[in-house]
Amino acid sequence: MLSKLQPVKSFNRLVGKVYAKMPLRYVLIVPFILQICGAVGLVGYLSYQNGQKAVRELATQLENEICDRIEQHLDSYLTTPKQINQINLDAIELGLLNLSDFQTAGNYFWKQMQVFNVGYNSFANPKGEFIGVERLDNGQLLINEVSAKHGIGKLYVYPTDKQGNRRHLQEVKDYDPRVEAWYTDPVKRGKRVWSQIYQWEDKPEVLSISSSYPVYDKNRKFVGVISVDLLLSQIGKFLAKLKVTESGKTFILERSGLIVASSTSEPPYTIVNGKGKRLSALDSQNPLIKLTTQSLIERFGNLKLVVGKQQLSFTADEMRYFVQVKSWKDELGLDWLIVAVIAEGEFMEQINANTRITILLCIIAFLVATRIGILTARWVIKPILQLNRSAKKIAQGEWEETPDIQRSDELGELAKSFETMAKQLQASFSALEAKNAEMQVLNEALFHNQSQLTQFLEAIPVGVFIIDAEGEPHYTNQIGQQILGQGAIAEVKIEELSEIYQAYLAGTDRLYPSDRLPILRALLGESIRVDDMEIRRCGNTTRIEVLGKPIYDESGNVAFAIATFFDITQRKQTEKLLAEYNRTLEAQVKKRTEEFQQVIEQLQTTQEELIQSQKIAAQEQQAAVREAARSTAANLAKSEFLANMSHELRTPLNAILGFTQVMSRDYSLSSEHQENLAIINRAGEHLLKLINDILEMSKIEAGKITLNCNSFDLIHLLKNLEEMLHLRAASKNLELVFEYAPDIPKYIETDENKLCQVLLNLLGNAIKFTDKGRVTLRVRLGA
């Protein structure tokens, strides 16, 4: 009960505070004036407001009815092309329609045009062939054909009789259907689509839109495109027939602001240099359409941001207009805005007349009440002057001063009540100031925390997506919007999240199951991580890894669910390449190991033969001089063989050693593979040392050296040596430097193999016996 009386007391204190600043004569006069003016004004105000409300409700109902009728007409009118295309697809699949027989196909399309009120029914294939039936303004049907028989790029036009038979050739025009929007759009997207609104090339005054379906054979091979055109002038005629108010207008816009159709006589296009151009609503000659479009852009910032049904109003030329804009979409991608605008003035004439009468009555009541108030003030003014002075002091902030009136009548009681009220006001003001200061500090802290949280979320280098406990999208940071292609969308069902954000199971064409979405499982209290999700936008596929976690409130209930995600496309590609590289590496290691084993076996055989030859030579030298000559010849042959074989053995062996060193730096290899590489490397080093020892002995024993001169690329040889020895030098922390003089020739003529072997031996020994610093090979042209 006390809580109900508190607003009354507060009002009384407020009235007392206001009256304390006014002269007493006004205090006595104002109540009389306010009683009359307030009663009459309140009645007039309520009458005016009820009239305004009735006008708004009537305008809203009328706009709702208009928009609903337009939407129903669009649903019905734009469904016809899709039905025709589906009928044709079914006929093609059942073999009832042969698209390669243009004579039969033309008659088939002609009969459909007799049943359905559409502007064009056609088919085109990738060769540029075309068959279509066109409806003229007078209702006559023309069959248009482009075929290989008559020449690709030439359109033959035939008028028809009442049975659909071609009468005669009317004209021949240049035409290629493969460049038209109705053909290119479904080919690019690979599915049924609406084309962009376009004007006919030979009739720029005709605006049409095409429902196009790509056609495939049983092997999913592209056959062509079937298309049905609708004339947008039919929609304009429907809008003109709607019964709107005298000054009201209806029109349909694309999200870009271009006019689709309107209830005005103004065409939705202009002709510039004989070519048609779509008309933007901002360039319309109708001022109401232009002003309405400007107000929509000012309200929403961009027509693309208009969602659902929106009500607004604007004022132009001292006239207020009510506007309703409604978003209309279909499943094939059309996204239009239905706009209805009605002037308020057509409903306000009677309300304005009532307002004028109310104002006149208020003036009369004001004059009468003022006269009565003046007479009453003169009768009671003297006894309350003291109370007036005290009230002024309290109004100035002198709370200690209270009226001293020793009376027992109503004025005395008023003085006591005034004193009590003053104290209450003082306490209330003090408490209110303290509360205001405290609230200001809390508000500043809250705003600062919210700003920091937003900055933190935007600075995180991963996408962030948050939904509330009801499943409504709540927030998406900038990186999340870049990956998903759009931000948080209000009023979205949980089951539609995968479809809206184009989330697919990786490697499939199936939408990601809603019951497996990490953010929805987080609403159930689970923390989950997945990496099998793909986002597909504008032909691009992004593989992402998603982590979903619940956010609890103080009661332990899930208040929000947060999902963080990031692009792992490159990581998955890298893993795939690494797996392929490991398989290739294993095969190459196996192959090199077999080759290395063969070389070792050959070397062992050669070594055994060498030892056996030396034993035989020693025995023959002791036996006879004649046998010594034969032994000398054998040694020479042996040395020549070793000299010739050294290069053949050292070159692949150095390549094997270099390749094993490269593979040993790949940390993705298993420990078993690392051990196998180490064994190969040690065996190769041992074999190289053995070959060097044999080569040193062969150099002493060999009696001649044969040069095999040929022309080769010197720079290429040096770069191969640098790549071969780079890792060996790096393993000893040495810097390997090759310095080339600018005037050295690229091609030289000498023994390439021996030059390579000499440089390899020199650089190998330099690296072997250098502990720190660098090994430098300088190449310059001699004098």
Side-chain angles (χ1 to χ4, degrees):
M1 187 65 179
L2 293 176
S3 61
K4 294 181 179 179
L5 294 176
Q6 188 64 30
V8 178
K9 294 180 180 180
S10 300
F11 177 74
N12 290 336
R13 287 196 298 269
L14 180 60
V15 172
K17 185 176 180 180
V18 173
Y19 281 176
K21 297 181 180 180
M22 297 174 60
L24 186 57
R25 61 178 62 88
Y26 296 151
V27 174
L28 296 176
I29 294 172
V30 168
F32 294 98
I33 298 174
L34 292 180
Q35 289 175 14
I36 302 301
C37 293
V40 178
L42 181 60
V43 172
Y45 173 76
L46 292 177
S47 176
Y48 177 77
Q49 288 296 323
N50 288 333
Q52 290 280 0
K53 183 178 179 181
V55 168
R56 287 193 296 269
E57 291 178 352
L58 180 60
T60 301
Q61 292 175 0
L62 182 58
E63 289 174 337
N64 283 334
E65 181 180 355
I66 292 170
C67 290
D68 291 342
R69 291 184 62 186
I70 295 174
E71 184 177 17
Q72 291 174 2
H73 179 74
L74 290 177
D75 291 339
S76 174
Y77 188 59
L78 295 173
T79 299
T80 301
K82 295 184 283 187
Q83 293 175 343
I84 296 175
N85 282 330
Q86 190 58 50
I87 291 173
N88 292 340
L89 280 179
D90 294 339
I92 294 170
E93 292 179 0
L94 294 175
L96 301 178
L97 176 59
N98 184 6
L99 294 178
S100 60
D101 184 359
F102 279 11
Q103 182 69 31
T104 304
N107 293 335
Y108 181 86
F109 290 158
W110 186 91
K111 291 184 180 296
Q112 283 187 329
M113 296 288 284
Q114 293 289 97
V115 178
F116 298 99
N117 183 21
V118 295
Y120 218 115
N121 193 357
S122 60
F123 165 77
N125 60 30
K127 299 178 182 179
E129 294 180 317
F130 170 82
I131 183 66
V133 179
E134 173 187 354
R135 186 188 305 278
L136 300 180
D137 293 337
N138 59 7
Q140 182 183 0
L141 298 179
L142 301 178
I143 294 180
N144 301 328
E145 179 179 333
V146 177
S147 63
K149 177 176 64 177
H150 296 128
I152 300 300
K154 297 297 181 181
L155 179 69
Y156 284 71
V157 181
Y158 303 92
T160 60
D161 57 20
K162 294 183 179 180
Q163 285 74 36
N165 298 317
R166 308 182 187 187
R167 293 193 298 179
H168 61 272
L169 178 62
Q170 178 173 310
E171 60 177 323
V172 178
K173 299 183 292 186
D174 293 333
Y175 181 68
D176 187 353
R178 294 170 294 183
V179 301
E180 297 287 346
W182 64 266
Y183 183 90
T184 58
D185 289 350
V187 172
K188 290 179 181 178
R189 301 184 186 179
K191 61 180 181 179
R192 54 181 185 169
V193 296
W194 283 105
S195 72
Q196 301 176 1
I197 296 176
Y198 64 95
Q199 294 170 274
W200 291 6
E201 184 176 355
D202 56 341
K203 298 178 181 179
E205 71 278 3
V206 177
L207 281 180
S208 67
I209 185 171
S210 301
S211 174
S212 302
Y213 284 39
V215 180
Y216 300 92
D217 60 14
K218 295 180 180 180
N219 298 323
R220 294 300 297 170
K221 181 180 178 181
F222 178 68
V223 176
V225 175
I226 57 174
S227 175
V228 177
D229 286 16
L230 285 180
L231 302 182
L232 298 184
S233 59
Q234 298 295 328
I235 301 177
K237 292 177 182 179
F238 172 79
L239 297 181
K241 292 179 182 178
L242 287 177
K243 294 182 179 180
V244 193
T245 60
E246 182 178 354
S247 61
K249 297 291 183 290
T250 59
F251 55 97
I252 301 174
L253 298 177
E254 288 185 320
R255 294 286 182 167
S256 62
L258 297 178
I259 297 176
V260 178
S262 70
S263 60
T264 66
S265 59
E266 180 185 19
Y269 61 86
T270 58
I271 303 298
V272 180
N273 297 327
K275 294 185 178 181
K277 180 181 178 182
R278 296 283 304 282
L279 180 65
S280 173
L282 295 176
D283 299 328
S284 174
Q285 298 300 318
N286 187 286
L288 188 54
I289 292 179
K290 183 176 182 179
L291 291 172
T292 302
T293 305
Q294 290 176 347
S295 66
L296 288 173
I297 294 175
E298 292 175 359
R299 169 72 178 275
F300 299 101
N302 193 313
L303 294 180
K304 296 180 180 179
L305 302 180
V306 179
V307 179
K309 182 187 295 184
Q310 302 291 337
Q311 301 280 350
L312 67 150
S313 62
F314 68 92
T315 303
D317 297 331
E318 299 181 355
M319 176 67 72
R320 188 182 183 193
Y321 294 91
F322 297 108
V323 180
Q324 183 176 104
V325 57
K326 186 174 184 180
S327 175
W328 182 87
K329 299 181 180 180
D330 77 342
E331 71 276 8
L332 295 187
L334 283 185
D335 189 1
W336 292 348
L337 296 177
I338 302 173
V339 184
V341 54
I342 300 175
E344 182 186 42
E346 298 183 11
F347 306 94
M348 293 298 294
E349 294 181 1
Q350 186 62 39
I351 294 176
N352 291 333
N354 293 336
T355 302
R356 287 192 293 270
I357 295 173
T358 302
I359 293 174
L360 180 60
L361 292 176
C362 287
I363 293 174
I364 295 173
F366 176 76
L367 295 175
V368 173
T370 302
R371 183 59 181 170
I372 295 173
I374 292 173
L375 295 176
T376 303
R378 290 177 179 176
W379 180 59
V380 297
I381 192 64
K382 286 186 179 181
I384 55 178
L385 288 176
Q386 185 179 2
L387 183 61
N388 184 27
R389 288 193 295 268
S390 298
K392 289 182 178 180
K393 291 182 179 180
I394 292 176
Q396 294 173 357
E398 298 179 7
W399 297 98
E400 291 78 9
E401 296 291 336
T402 56
D404 186 12
I405 298 176
Q406 301 298 326
R407 296 181 59 165
S408 59
D409 57 3
E410 288 81 357
L411 288 176
E413 293 178 358
L414 178 61
K416 294 179 181 179
S417 300
F418 187 81
E419 181 180 2
T420 303
M421 183 180 64
K423 293 179 180 179
Q424 291 178 350
L425 283 173
Q426 184 179 9
S428 298
F429 283 148
S430 299
L432 183 60
E433 290 177 355
K435 289 291 185 181
N436 286 339
E438 183 179 354
M439 289 300 296
Q440 185 175 3
V441 173
L442 292 176
N443 287 336
E444 291 177 355
L446 179 60
F447 177 79
H448 180 68
N449 291 337
Q450 290 178 343
S451 177
Q452 282 187 335
L453 178 59
T454 302
Q455 292 175 356
F456 292 157
L457 292 177
E458 293 295 337
I460 294 175
V462 297
V464 177
F465 188 82
I466 301 175
I467 62 174
D468 58 21
E470 303 299 328
E472 289 285 339
H474 184 72
Y475 170 81
T476 306
N477 66 354
Q478 288 295 325
I479 295 181
Q481 294 179 21
Q482 293 175 5
I483 295 176
L484 298 178
Q486 54 186 327
I489 302 177
E491 301 179 359
V492 173
K493 296 182 180 180
I494 296 178
E495 298 79 7
E496 299 176 351
L497 288 177
S498 294
E499 180 179 0
I500 290 176
Y501 293 100
Q502 293 295 292
Y504 289 83
L505 274 173
T508 70
D509 290 330
R510 291 191 297 117
L511 289 172
Y512 205 90
S514 58
D515 57 348
R516 292 176 54 188
L517 287 174
I519 196 165
L520 298 186
R521 295 181 66 178
L523 282 180
L524 303 178
E526 301 181 33
S527 295
I528 185 172
R529 181 191 301 270
V530 300
D531 62 353
D532 59 346
M533 186 182 298
E534 290 180 350
I535 302 298
R536 301 177 183 176
R537 284 286 178 187
C538 301
N540 295 324
T541 300
T542 304
R543 184 76 172 266
I544 60 174
E545 181 174 332
V546 187
L547 173 63
K549 283 187 174 293
I551 300 177
Y552 300 94
D553 57 15
E554 296 178 353
S555 303
N557 298 321
V558 176
F560 294 93
I562 183 172
T564 57
F565 49 93
F566 54 91
D567 189 348
I568 61 170
T569 304
Q570 292 185 351
R571 192 185 80 185
K572 289 296 181 181
Q573 293 175 351
T574 302
E575 291 177 355
K576 182 178 179 180
L577 291 175
L578 183 59
E580 294 178 355
Y581 174 74
N582 286 336
R583 289 193 295 269
T584 303
L585 183 61
E586 290 178 358
Q588 291 179 346
V589 168
K590 182 178 180 181
K591 179 179 178 181
R592 291 296 185 181
T593 303
E594 293 175 354
E595 293 177 352
F596 182 69
Q597 186 64 34
Q598 293 176 358
V599 171
I600 291 176
E601 291 176 356
Q602 292 177 358
L603 187 60
Q604 289 176 347
T605 302
T606 302
Q607 186 178 15
E608 291 176 356
E609 292 177 353
L610 178 61
I611 295 173
Q612 186 66 29
S613 298
Q614 289 178 343
K615 291 181 179 180
I616 294 173
Q619 292 174 359
E620 289 180 350
Q621 286 177 354
Q622 294 175 359
V625 175
R626 186 181 57 185
E627 294 296 330
R630 185 182 299 174
S631 176
T632 301
N635 287 334
L636 291 176
K638 173 199 65 179
S639 299
E640 183 178 358
F641 169 75
L642 292 177
N644 292 333
M645 285 295 296
S646 62
H647 171 71
E648 299 297 329
L649 294 175
R650 287 170 58 88
T651 300
L653 187 58
N654 280 297
I656 292 172
L657 292 176
F659 191 68
T660 56
Q661 292 173 2
V662 171
M663 290 190 295
S664 64
R665 296 177 180 272
D666 188 352
Y667 298 105
S668 62
L669 294 177
S670 63
S671 58
E672 181 180 357
H673 288 164
Q674 292 284 0
E675 292 176 1
N676 292 335
L677 289 174
I679 293 171
I680 294 172
N681 191 53
R682 288 194 300 270
E685 291 288 348
H686 175 73
L687 181 59
L688 182 63
K689 182 178 179 182
L690 182 61
I691 292 173
N692 289 334
D693 293 338
I694 297 174
L695 183 61
E696 290 296 328
M697 183 173 60
S698 67
K699 289 180 181 180
I700 297 173
E701 296 178 354
K704 69 175 182 177
I705 297 177
T706 302
L707 292 177
N708 298 317
C709 295
N710 64 311
S711 180
F712 61 94
D713 190 341
L714 177 61
I715 304 300
H716 179 70
L717 174 66
L718 295 174
K719 288 183 178 180
N720 286 340
L721 287 173
E722 185 177 3
E723 292 175 356
M724 187 184 303
L725 298 171
H726 176 72
L727 291 175
R728 187 186 299 181
S731 64
K732 295 186 65 178
N733 295 324
L734 297 177
E735 182 180 4
L736 183 61
V737 179
F738 279 58
E739 295 180 357
Y740 311 137
D743 58 344
I744 64 172
K746 183 175 182 181
Y747 294 95
I748 65 174
E749 183 174 356
T750 184
D751 192 326
E752 181 182 2
N753 294 332
K754 289 182 171 56
L755 177 60
C756 178
Q757 187 62 49
V758 169
L759 294 177
L760 188 64
N761 291 337
L762 291 174
L763 293 173
N765 290 333
I767 294 172
K768 179 178 180 181
F769 298 104
T770 302
D771 296 326
K772 61 181 180 179
R774 68 170 63 179
V775 175
T776 303
L777 175 64
R778 295 185 178 91
V779 183
R780 63 177 181 267
L781 189 63

